[in-house]
Amino acid sequence: MNDSPVHRKTTAVLTNRLIRWTARNRRAAAGHMLRGACYGAGTAAVSLIAVWAQKYL
């Protein structure tokens, strides 16, 4: 059923397209992940400061 030449060609085309898209957008994706990690670290720091302030002030 899925072993037809048309299916294999379509799968190969989609795979190649995905590989090219990943290669083109790798740097942007890494930048977004770094930004997300920085936002997470900042949120954690502010939360810890807020907890400390509530406990000791």
Side-chain angles (χ1 to χ4, degrees):
M1 182 171 154
N2 287 333
D3 199 32
S4 68
V6 174
H7 179 74
R8 283 193 301 258
K9 183 177 179 185
T10 303
T11 304
V13 168
L14 290 176
T15 303
N16 289 340
R17 187 179 298 167
L18 180 62
I19 290 170
R20 284 194 312 258
W21 182 88
T22 303
R24 281 194 313 264
N25 293 307
R26 183 176 294 152
R27 189 173 204 167
H32 288 303
M33 288 192 300
L34 178 62
R35 179 181 291 173
C38 290
Y39 283 147
T43 301
V46 169
S47 298
L48 289 173
I49 291 169
V51 168
W52 180 84
Q54 288 177 350
K55 187 172 182 177
Y56 293 108
L57 295 181

